[in-house]
Amino acid sequence: MTQVYVSQHPLIAHKLGKLRSVHTDSRKFRELVKEIAGLLAYEATADLAVCPVDVETPMGIARGQELEETVGLIPILRAGLGMVEGIWEFLPSAEVWHIGIYRDEKTLKPVQYYNKLPTMPRVSVCLVLDPMLATGGSAIATIDILKKWGAKRIKFVGLIGAPEGIAALQAAHPDIPIHLAAVDDHLNEIGYIVPGLGDAGDRQFGTG
């Protein structure tokens, strides 16, 4: 699968195992989502451009680097919200814009209900955040919105993907890199990833 990057980091694998467990309560689930998201973003931003700068140290001048590109985080509401804080710890200057999309439980199609993008893009790279890449509908719809808005570089960052969702996203947007912690077996008849972890939104917010 080109443009699909599945992390091989042992810390991510360890935390993902705990995240999946039915015995993990909402508080711990939120902590794990935050931690895994930060680690995934660390990998997803490895190609950000930097520029050289001189830094004054107590012992003299050192040649350093600083980011040349700015980053925007676009969590797909509501489950994507839990990923923001973990990424902010690595990128505290990242802007956050919200797009609300829910999946119609009968048709499994995405329905947009909220869009808080500014008038014009003002960042170099957009990271679309959603824990589960299941049918791919929400991710495709969000990226459609971002491209029409004028975003030039977009990446998808999620925790678990299904082969069906990955294939759908790649068919619709073959230029978009997909960063995941794991790829699972399949979708069931109601569009949930198997073995997955259940409903990521419900488990984060205690509404399941």
Side-chain angles (χ1 to χ4, degrees), residues 34-174:
K34 169 186 167 183
E35 292 167 359
I36 296 170
L39 292 168
L40 286 171
Y42 176 83
E43 296 185 354
T45 56
D47 61 349
L48 291 181
V50 295
C51 58
V53 294
D54 288 333
V55 180
E56 183 178 358
T57 81
M59 303 303 292
I61 301 298
R63 175 54 61 95
Q65 295 181 332
E66 66 180 14
L67 286 177
E68 200 169 40
E69 296 183 289
T70 52
V71 177
L73 308 180
I74 300 88
I76 299 176
L77 302 180
R78 64 180 168 155
L81 287 172
M83 300 177 68
V84 171
E85 191 175 349
I87 299 175
W88 254 347
E89 292 191 357
F90 287 93
L91 290 167
S93 62
E95 298 184 17
V96 179
W97 309 316
H98 301 97
I99 293 178
I101 293 177
Y102 71 88
R103 184 173 64 177
D104 186 290
E105 295 302 326
K106 292 183 179 179
T107 66
L108 301 183
K109 300 295 184 182
V111 179
Q112 180 185 330
Y113 65 91
Y114 187 76
N115 183 332
K116 198 61 177 175
L117 294 173
T119 304
M120 297 290 292
R122 56 187 186 220
V123 296
S124 309
V125 183
C126 293
L127 302 183
V128 175
L129 311 177
D130 197 357
M132 311 300 280
L133 181 57
T135 64
S138 296
I140 292 168
T142 300
I143 293 167
D144 285 342
I145 293 166
L146 291 174
K147 285 186 172 181
K148 290 176 183 176
W149 177 58
K152 301 301 182 186
R153 288 183 64 199
I154 304 168
K155 300 184 179 189
F156 178 88
V157 181
L159 305 186
I160 300 175
E164 297 91 333
I166 293 169
L169 179 51
Q170 288 197 304
H173 297 290

